[in-house]
Amino acid sequence: MPISTKDLDSAFQAAGANPGLEVWCIENERVVPVSKSCYGKFYTGSAYVVLNTVYPNSGAAQHDIHYWLGNDANKLDSGLASDKALELDAALGSCSVQYKEVQGQESEKFLSYFKPCIIPIEGVYRSRQGKINGEYQITLYTCKGDHVVRVKEVPFLRSSLNHEDVFILDTASKIFLFSGCNSTIQERAKALDVILYIKENKHGGKCQVATIEDGKFVGDSDVGEFWSFFGGYAPIPRELPSSVQQQPVAPSTKLFWITLQGKLSQTGSDVLNKEILETDKCYMLDCNTEIFVWMGRHTTMTEKRTSITAIEEFVRNEGRSNSTHLTLLSEGLESTIFRSYFQNWPKTVEPKLYEEGREKVAAIFKHQGYDVKELPEEDTELHIDCRGTLKVWRVDGDDLSPLSVSEQTRFFSGDCYIAQYTYPGNGRDETLFYSWLGCRSIMEDKTAAISQMNAMADSVKTNPVVVQVHEGNEPAQFFSIFQRLIIFKGGLSSGYKKFIEEKGMMDETYDENKVALFRVQGTSPDNMQAIQVDQVSTSLNSSYCYILQNGASIFTWIGSLSSARDHNLLDRVLELLNPTWQPISVREGNEPDSFWDAVGGKSEYPKGKEIQGYIEDLHLFVLDVKRGDIKVKEIYNFTQDDLITEDVLVLHCQREVYVWVGLHSGVRSKQEALNLGLKFIEMDVLVEDLSLDIPIYIVTEGHEPLFFTRFFAWDHSKVHFHGNSFERKLSILKGNSQTLEGQNRTSWKLNSKDTTPNGPSNSVTSNGRRRSSSPAPRAPGTDFRSSGDRRLSSPAPVPRKLFQGSPASNTPGESVSSTGSPVIEPRSSSETTGLAQSDKNGDNGNLLVYPYELLKVISRDPVTSIDVTKREVYLSNEEFHEKFGMTKSAFYKLPKWKQNKLKMSVDLF
């Protein structure tokens, strides 16, 4: 319960009333609010309390409280900051998460509030600061961090410099950036943000900026001026590698109960589960580098203070490092990381309840093990233009079959499909590729669908977004593009037919003469679906409408929790399936015996909608893939500026995952990016219950669509520059304006042909707008402004070769345009024949040979200028046989799907 206002410090009276950041400092044993102009300026002799409040779209406000302790802060102020953080939590209804922050060891979440950085200031905070007169003090800082920066003042001495870090020398008239030769590009770029911050805040925006490269000491006046502050140039000694190898300590987790007297008593159970945590007690979870304090809902303020004191004494007695983070959690607000240490922690669903069937739906969820407060509402807002051109192919092993306009909205669960959608974008046409994988399709077809989709996307100049979609987990946008979709049971591909025959399984492929049950779903006529389900009564659900086909008899079944909107969709879908049907309409509870006979008899079925797990917040993660294995780190309070060109980032939002690939990240293909997304999901560390069937989007830097940029406060006026992140920021700092247009804009792409699998995709009109190559005839009076209208096209035949073309520069048939972009000229027939023959025989021809370690997908030193769709071609014959267990000739006689599967097994695909 919140404490009374008379017991509340007056400084906290309006705390948390508005979203954003609030900062207080401990001054003369009282809490003093810090003015917003001083946010980010922390004095080393003081202690602070920081509150960050977020108001999500639904649900209660979320509060994070941090208390920051300067290295020179006295014990009294430090203890008072801890007490005030607890008091503030109580004032907010004991619904915050609290963190202890120590100078120099701050958490990344804390640092993210004060971008670009915090710079600790010597001394003690005074609410009334006097003017500082005298000579400008020269200061030397070191900067560490790729996404959040840790800035530390170091002695102004030559011996402070080294080859590993980035340094800023702040003088009266000029700021110098010194980049150690072993520092990262990202650290150098972030240091430029710090320089800009210092320039604006300490120099009023009026000073020069100079960059100094480690090892460069001649030919530049700035270099000479920099070294003059240190008494002249002298080499920086290199640190000798340590001969002592520290063995990693095996992580251990221990749970302690904290008594009323402040004693720690370890629980006897080796297996942790939620039932151990009693609501009237406090506990400490010791995870070595991080310590959690769990405070039950019915514990008192005194018990909480006693617990914190006991834990701080425990940390001191154990000799733990200052880098040990302390997090205080109230019951019901446990973080994902905390819950991960416990087995079978109950799932939670918290969004808004449906108006219809509220109690019944809640009862279903509680029965399934969810603690239900509210249920989610679907986001029906569209973030894509639905007036584009749709083309669809069915996958059958290595073969693609283009579907006619009437067929491309009818899928089979045993098949896989590729959809190409071209739509009006921001000044140009945008392209989106989907690979839809039926839930009963065979692995060979799934592999082929993904491979062929990526090959198609690589042939489109606009660098399209590609999406992997599994049946049953389609995003709302997918259905809006198709507008109406029927998914039948069974399949038409030869692989599927062969599989069920070999397994002795019954062919369930839809037959209009047999019994079939369809569930009708969707939110409007622009995104309606009919899904064929098992023709048994357990497939029914009170919140849906169904169509039952039983020979000549057609029933429409209306669930008791369905809405008028559902009934409207039922009529439309019925006409879509067969406009000649004359159905018998029945409502739930009034079914005739013939209805139950057709579905094998009456039995119990669900009474509420099955809703997937709901994630209220967005999460952005950076993947470190430079060391062979993947390391994941979350970026807090992210903005557009956190999309750094050297990174691969994963944005997890509700039921979709976006993999954003920077142009300088080292990722060479969309297939490689998709593999990284799958590996991230498999890790399942920072986000709970991620399914491998979740839709995965691959988005390339410089080609971000609206449905991706909507998650950021996106500024289209920001200019993207040539080069890496450091070079770009340096160009901005110096006022240059080179954009990514030209060869850098397409440097990540494998091919630069402006073609689809069926030839040139776009022609350009006189006004510069691209036009679909094969739009459907436009009827008189058609208005394309309606979101429900879309141009449909009948695809042309697909060429057999999808992997032709090389990304390498200076390859035969390639020239450079006046803009610097590579232009692929058509090959002569003899060149094409020669390439095909070389592929068939598995002969390298005139290609160079590279070792396997440089060719594999995730390599520390990857080879450039190769055809990454045929990495195996560049292996020597000996190493090829070692990896694949066969000769190249034997390998290329295998079907394409099997080749791809083998290449994936040795990390060459």
Side-chain angles (χ1 to χ4, degrees):
M1 295 291 294
I3 61 178
S4 64
T5 54
K6 76 174 184 178
D7 296 327
L8 177 64
D9 194 303
S10 60
F12 294 149
Q13 288 289 346
N18 299 304
L21 205 60
E22 298 172 81
V23 181
W24 298 267
C25 184
I26 308 299
E27 182 184 22
N28 298 325
E29 300 183 23
R30 63 190 181 92
V31 179
V32 177
V34 175
S35 65
K36 291 186 181 296
S37 62
C38 294
Y39 283 11
K41 299 175 182 178
F42 290 87
Y43 285 81
T44 62
S46 297
Y48 295 78
V49 177
V50 176
L51 170 66
N52 186 56
T53 302
V54 175
Y55 281 86
N57 293 330
S58 61
Q62 299 171 357
H63 305 287
D64 285 312
I65 299 174
H66 305 254
Y67 56 100
W68 185 90
L69 310 178
N71 288 340
D72 302 325
N74 60 53
K75 188 174 181 180
L76 181 61
D77 285 350
S78 298
L80 190 56
S82 172
D83 285 348
K84 288 299 179 181
L86 280 175
E87 182 181 325
L88 178 56
D89 170 64
L92 296 171
S94 297
C95 60
S96 71
V97 179
Q98 301 168 61
Y99 306 85
K100 178 183 178 182
E101 307 285 355
V102 178
Q103 179 185 337
Q105 305 294 337
E106 297 90 350
S107 65
E108 295 205 353
K109 175 177 267 191
F110 180 79
L111 292 174
S112 71
Y113 302 144
F114 305 100
K115 291 180 179 178
C117 65
I118 64 172
I119 301 179
I121 303 169
E122 294 289 334
V124 178
Y125 174 81
R126 293 285 182 264
S127 51
R128 295 185 179 182
Q129 298 284 351
K131 291 186 178 180
I132 301 176
N133 298 315
E135 186 177 344
Y136 193 89
Q137 295 295 317
I138 298 177
T139 312
L140 183 64
Y141 301 99
T142 180
C143 300
K144 296 178 182 291
D146 295 345
H147 285 271
V148 292
V149 187
R150 301 179 188 277
V151 179
K152 179 182 178 182
E153 183 178 350
V154 294
F156 175 38
L157 300 170
R158 184 199 310 276
S159 58
S160 295
L161 302 175
N162 60 55
H163 298 289
E164 310 301 321
D165 297 323
V166 179
F167 295 85
I168 294 174
L169 181 64
D170 180 22
T171 71
S173 60
K174 187 178 289 187
I175 305 175
F176 297 87
L177 172 64
F178 176 84
S179 301
C181 59
N182 296 327
S183 61
T184 68
I185 295 295
Q186 293 98 316
E187 285 182 323
R188 299 178 190 184
K190 283 296 179 182
L192 288 176
D193 290 339
V194 176
I195 286 177
L196 187 60
Y197 172 81
I198 295 173
K199 179 180 177 180
E200 296 297 327
N201 286 273
K202 294 183 68 176
H203 297 267
K206 298 178 180 179
C207 73
Q208 296 180 331
V209 175
T211 57
I212 310 298
E213 295 180 25
D214 186 6
K216 182 178 180 181
F217 53 92
V218 293
D220 191 329
S221 59
D222 289 332
V223 174
E225 185 180 355
F226 173 80
W227 287 111
S228 68
F229 287 100
F230 297 93
Y233 173 79
I236 300 173
R238 295 189 178 274
E239 294 185 6
L240 296 176
S242 176
S243 59
V244 180
Q245 294 285 339
Q246 289 190 348
Q247 295 296 327
V249 178
S252 62
T253 303
K254 299 176 182 178
L255 183 67
F256 296 85
W257 164 49
I258 307 171
T259 68
L260 296 177
Q261 294 75 32
K263 302 296 183 181
L264 300 180
S265 178
Q266 186 172 354
T267 59
S269 175
D270 294 331
V271 179
L272 301 183
N273 55 67
K274 186 183 179 183
E275 286 68 29
I276 295 177
L277 306 175
E278 298 181 32
T279 190
D280 60 346
K281 294 179 181 178
C282 293
Y283 295 83
M284 179 185 81
L285 183 67
D286 182 11
C287 308
N288 293 315
T289 58
E290 185 163 19
I291 292 177
F292 296 93
V293 182
W294 185 89
M295 299 176 292
R297 190 177 290 113
H298 296 104
T299 52
T300 65
M301 179 74 74
T302 300
E303 289 175 301
K304 294 176 181 179
R305 285 174 175 161
T306 301
S307 298
I308 295 174
T309 302
I311 290 170
E312 289 182 341
E313 183 178 349
F314 169 81
V315 171
R316 285 193 299 271
N317 294 338
E318 290 282 314
R320 297 290 179 89
S321 166
N322 283 339
S323 61
T324 303
H325 290 125
L326 178 61
T327 304
L328 286 70
L329 302 165
S330 297
E331 182 180 357
L333 295 172
E334 297 85 1
S335 65
T336 302
I337 296 177
F338 178 83
R339 295 197 301 264
S340 68
Y341 291 106
F342 293 76
Q343 289 192 0
N344 302 320
W345 191 283
K347 297 169 283 187
T348 304
V349 176
E350 297 222 5
K352 190 175 179 182
L353 274 171
Y354 285 98
E355 292 301 319
E356 299 173 312
R358 181 189 304 255
E359 295 82 4
K360 292 184 179 181
V361 177
I364 289 293
F365 266 77
K366 287 185 177 180
H367 181 69
Q368 294 175 350
Y370 288 89
D371 177 19
V372 178
K373 296 181 181 178
E374 297 175 322
L375 294 180
E377 287 184 333
E378 297 290 337
D379 177 14
T380 57
E381 183 181 357
L382 292 179
H383 301 279
I384 190 170
D385 193 312
C386 293
R387 298 171 294 174
T389 302
L390 180 65
K391 300 179 182 179
V392 182
W393 295 263
R394 182 187 298 114
V395 177
D396 192 348
D398 290 338
D399 297 327
L400 293 181
S401 301
L403 302 184
S404 65
V405 172
S406 60
E407 291 178 315
Q408 64 185 18
T409 56
R410 293 172 173 250
F411 285 7
F412 288 83
S413 292
D415 293 334
C416 296
Y417 297 83
I418 297 173
Q420 176 187 355
Y421 182 63
T422 305
Y423 60 98
N426 186 18
R428 64 182 181 192
D429 281 359
E430 301 286 352
T431 306
L432 177 61
F433 280 94
Y434 286 99
S435 62
W436 185 89
L437 312 177
C439 63
R440 300 191 181 184
S441 59
I442 61 173
M443 183 57 66
E444 288 78 2
D445 283 348
K446 291 179 180 178
T447 302
I450 296 170
S451 174
Q452 306 244 34
M453 173 190 66
N454 289 325
M456 288 182 177
D458 290 335
S459 69
V460 177
K461 187 177 181 179
T462 55
N463 211 336
V465 174
V466 299
V467 194
Q468 175 181 296
V469 175
H470 290 262
E471 180 187 352
N473 290 276
E474 299 89 350
Q477 176 180 276
F478 178 84
F479 290 133
S480 296
I481 288 173
F482 278 83
Q483 297 185 1
R484 52 188 184 273
L485 188 64
I486 304 172
I487 301 178
F488 298 103
K489 297 178 71 173
L492 303 178
S493 80
S494 58
Y496 172 79
K497 297 291 187 184
K498 182 180 178 181
F499 174 78
I500 62 173
E501 182 181 354
E502 291 177 348
K503 297 292 183 180
M505 299 167 59
M506 181 184 300
D507 189 353
E508 295 182 317
T509 303
Y510 172 73
D511 186 338
E512 62 182 10
N513 296 318
K514 296 180 180 179
V515 178
L517 181 64
F518 294 90
R519 183 179 68 241
V520 177
Q521 58 189 47
T523 60
S524 77
D526 292 334
N527 63 4
M528 57 186 184
Q529 310 100 49
I531 313 296
Q532 186 179 0
V533 295
D534 292 338
Q535 51 269 17
V536 291
S537 57
T538 53
S539 296
L540 299 175
N541 186 303
S542 298
S543 293
Y544 292 101
C545 294
Y546 291 79
I547 297 172
L548 175 62
Q549 171 191 333
N550 183 23
S553 300
I554 305 297
F555 293 94
T556 56
W557 186 86
I558 301 174
S560 60
L561 297 181
S562 61
S563 64
R565 179 191 65 189
D566 299 324
H567 306 161
N568 179 41
L569 293 182
L570 177 63
D571 295 336
R572 290 174 178 268
V573 170
L574 185 69
E575 185 176 355
L576 188 64
L577 277 169
N578 192 329
T580 65
W581 281 349
Q582 297 296 322
I584 302 170
S585 180
V586 297
R587 289 189 172 272
E588 182 179 2
N590 296 302
E591 301 87 351
D593 292 340
S594 56
F595 176 88
W596 293 120
D597 292 341
V599 293
K602 186 177 181 180
S603 61
E604 289 297 320
Y605 53 84
K607 305 295 182 180
K609 284 188 178 179
E610 297 177 1
I611 302 175
Q612 299 176 357
Y614 181 84
I615 297 170
E616 193 163 313
D617 299 325
L618 300 175
H619 296 271
L620 184 67
F621 304 91
V622 60
L623 305 185
D624 184 356
V625 296
K626 297 184 180 71
R627 299 178 179 86
D629 58 340
I630 297 180
K631 294 184 178 178
V632 179
K633 182 172 67 175
E634 185 166 5
I635 301 173
Y636 299 98
N637 300 301
F638 59 84
T639 66
Q640 181 181 351
D641 293 332
D642 286 304
L643 303 179
I644 299 176
T645 188
E646 288 84 16
D647 285 342
V648 177
L649 298 165
V650 174
L651 178 67
H652 184 219
C653 51
Q654 295 186 356
R655 302 179 187 94
E656 301 168 352
V657 165
Y658 293 82
V659 180
W660 181 90
V661 183
L663 290 177
H664 291 78
S665 64
V667 174
R668 301 293 177 180
S669 68
K670 289 182 169 61
Q671 182 64 58
E672 183 180 346
L674 183 58
N675 290 341
L676 290 173
L678 290 169
K679 289 179 181 178
F680 166 80
I681 294 172
E682 287 176 349
M683 293 175 73
D684 196 21
V685 176
L686 299 177
V687 179
E688 295 179 295
D689 299 326
L690 273 182
S691 168
L692 287 173
D693 292 344
I694 192 172
I696 303 176
Y697 294 74
I698 306 300
V699 178
T700 311
E701 180 187 3
H703 298 270
E704 297 88 352
L706 174 62
F707 54 82
F708 175 81
T709 59
R710 67 189 171 105
F711 298 114
F712 301 81
W714 198 266
D715 184 359
H716 289 282
S717 66
K718 285 188 175 180
V719 181
H720 294 283
F721 289 76
H722 284 306
N724 58 43
S725 56
F726 173 72
E727 293 166 341
R728 295 180 189 186
K729 288 190 177 180
L730 189 59
S731 295
I732 294 174
L733 201 61
K734 294 185 176 181
N736 297 335
S737 58
Q738 288 181 312
T739 67
L740 275 175
E741 296 296 338
Q743 65 180 23
N744 262 22
R745 198 165 184 79
T746 56
S747 62
W748 185 75
K749 289 189 54 53
L750 300 182
N751 300 296
S752 58
K753 301 176 186 177
D754 191 12
T755 59
T756 63
N758 39 308
S761 60
N762 297 300
S763 59
V764 181
T765 60
S766 59
N767 63 3
R769 289 280 298 167
R770 288 195 179 94
R771 183 174 55 207
S772 172
S773 59
S774 53
R778 194 169 179 177
T782 302
D783 187 358
F784 275 41
R785 290 173 297 179
S786 170
S787 63
D789 293 329
R790 182 183 67 239
R791 293 170 288 169
L792 300 175
S793 64
S794 299
V798 184
R800 295 178 183 176
K801 283 281 184 183
L802 290 172
F803 294 92
Q804 270 186 206
S806 171
S809 58
N810 302 324
T811 53
E814 183 179 282
S815 60
V816 179
S817 69
S818 59
T819 64
S821 301
V823 178
I824 305 296
E825 301 293 344
R827 294 180 183 269
S828 66
S829 59
S830 60
E831 288 176 312
T832 306
T833 304
L835 177 62
Q837 187 66 31
S838 174
D839 291 344
K840 181 178 179 181
N841 296 333
D843 185 6
N844 287 26
N846 294 324
L847 294 176
L848 296 174
V849 174
Y850 296 100
Y852 168 77
E853 290 300 322
L854 304 184
L855 290 170
K856 63 182 183 179
V857 172
I858 300 179
S859 172
R860 294 185 179 182
D861 185 20
V863 178
T864 57
S865 301
I866 63 169
D867 185 346
V868 295
T869 66
K870 291 184 173 295
R871 296 175 185 271
E872 77 285 354
V873 170
Y874 301 91
L875 289 172
S876 67
N877 292 332
E878 294 78 11
E879 199 162 16
F880 187 99
H881 193 278
E882 177 188 342
K883 295 297 179 184
F884 290 95
M886 66 182 74
T887 64
K888 290 186 177 181
S889 298
F891 176 83
Y892 287 106
K893 291 178 182 177
L894 297 173
K896 177 65 74 174
W897 67 264
K898 198 161 187 177
Q899 293 178 25
N900 291 341
K901 190 172 182 180
L902 289 172
K903 288 195 291 184
M904 290 177 69
S905 68
V906 294
D907 203 22
L908 287 174
F909 185 79

